[in-house]
Amino acid sequence: MQVCRAEYRAIGRFVEQLRPTRQCMKTLQTQFPHLPPSTLLSIFSQEYQKRMKRSMGRHHAPDVVKAYYQRYRSEAKTRPTAPLLLELANQVDLSPALLARLIVECFLEEREASVPASRHILNNMLREPYSIPDLLLAKHVEQCTVNDCCYGPLVDCIKHAIGLEHEDLLRDKLRERSLSFLDENQLRVKGYDKTPDIILEVPIAVDGHIVHWIESKASFGDDHSHRTYLNEQFWSYCNRFGPGLVIYWYGFVSELDCQRDRGILLRDGFPSDIVTLCQGPARS
């Protein structure tokens, strides 16, 4: 799925008003029914994370964090069954999972005033809310984790699993076409420190362009993420291994596929028009 930059910007403007809830995805699908749900979720997640980074300093100011915690504590006494943290996160436009992290950190500091909360303990409590020695707070933290589609330990696990799933899919596609390759794990054993997901032992041609390596991205390729990948990964791969192919499984901004002459080809799925240098067109 390729989206022109103008449409991507229109989606970006629309998601500014949304919060990271299940309902927001229904709203997005209604507004942009021609785009797959997975593409919309990836776009929303990326745009929402940009929004959170822009406002992070404001939410992390000590007086603001203290006010959030005092407000939660006060309302927990009068409305213990209400989804207090979810409501607060929505009102201040902060990710529920990020707000839960701030509140748990305050709780630990209050409980152990002489000992700063360790990152290890904090992360464990966010992963397993009912290890928090306050059952009501544990319930509210769990609500935040379950209802946040962009941040939190649950989302991190899902993203990791999806990334591995698409790497497996890429390897399966290569094997189906009897293409010889080395994956990232095999390359690490050989001593490579920074590599693409796949290096082809025999280069292929895709759409008339030679491909020596393939990188799998289980996300949507927008301007910001693609520029970051170019600077941190793709140009390095080109310099070391030659031209390659990047697969954005959930689509990308169409105008970004402009670096073919410099060695980077973009696709939104595994290409069907593969030509092997020795055997001719590979069977699909």
Side-chain angles (χ1 to χ4, degrees), residues 20-56:
T21 64
R22 296 173 185 173
Q23 183 59 42
C24 85
M25 293 313 302
K26 295 179 181 178
T27 303
L28 270 175
Q29 289 170 39
T30 300
Q31 186 72 17
F32 304 99
H34 60 291
L35 295 177
S38 57
T39 295
L40 289 172
L41 176 58
S42 185
I43 291 174
F44 174 76
S45 178
Q46 290 170 187
E47 288 299 309
Y48 187 75
Q49 288 174 31
K50 293 176 194 173
R51 193 161 101 210
M52 289 300 98
K53 288 177 181 177
R54 290 195 299 268
S55 64
M56 200 60 70

Side-chain angles (χ1 to χ4, degrees), residues 165-175 181 197-198 214-216 245 247 249 270-271:
E165 179 183 1
H166 283 82
E167 289 176 13
D168 285 341
L169 174 61
L170 175 57
R171 286 190 286 265
D172 289 343
K173 293 291 186 181
L174 291 166
R175 293 189 187 103
F181 65 90
D197 293 316
I198 296 293
I214 304 176
E215 178 74 6
S216 169
L245 167 68
I247 301 177
W249 294 99
F270 192 84

